[in-house]
Amino acid sequence: MGEISIKINIADRVYPLKVSTEEEEIIRRAAKLINDRVKEYQENYAVKDKQDLLSMCVLHYATTSLKNERKVTTEDTEIAEKVYQLDDLLTEFFSK
């Protein structure tokens, strides 16, 4: 698929982007998440500066990403251990 030009609004600033048609929906959803988070921080904290609000959003999403990365790594390790255990059981069963 080809690229399309879109305009994304983040924290009251418009950013023109060229994206693939496959990426458009995810980029629009990401911008909405960011704007919703900025609005939440603006309403709940005495912060008015957009730069500060965006920095808080970046910290939130980076932290969430790192936590999810750690969780996936842990789950992958647990699954690998279970596969090895199953392999050992099958090897033992078929070697009898």
Side-chain angles (χ1 to χ4, degrees):
M1 297 271 169
E3 286 191 339
I4 58 172
S5 294
I6 62 173
K7 291 182 180 178
I8 297 296
N9 184 319
I10 298 175
D12 298 328
R13 290 187 70 175
V14 176
Y15 298 93
L17 300 173
K18 284 192 176 192
V19 300
S20 69
T21 53
E22 295 86 16
E23 292 179 313
E24 180 186 9
E25 181 185 354
I26 194 91
I27 290 171
R28 291 191 185 279
R29 287 179 57 203
K32 181 175 179 357
L33 285 173
I34 293 167
N35 286 322
D36 290 347
R37 182 70 54 182
V38 166
K39 184 178 178 185
E40 178 187 332
Y41 287 153
Q42 202 167 22
E43 291 172 354
N44 294 323
Y45 300 101
V47 178
K48 299 295 179 206
D49 183 59
K50 295 287 185 184
Q51 184 67 39
D52 291 338
L53 293 166
L54 288 169
S55 295
M56 292 168 66
C57 287
V58 168
L59 180 62
H60 169 79
Y61 289 117
T63 303
T64 300
S65 176
L66 290 171
K67 285 179 183 177
N68 288 337
E69 191 177 286
R70 182 185 308 153
K71 182 180 177 187
V72 166
T73 301
T74 302
E75 289 174 354
D76 285 351
T77 302
E78 291 172 358
I79 290 171
E81 288 174 6
K82 291 186 187 294
V83 168
Y84 288 128
Q85 289 173 359
L86 181 59
D87 184 53
D88 288 343
L89 286 171
L90 290 171
T91 301
E92 183 180 329
F93 176 79
F94 287 116
S95 65
K96 290 182 180 181

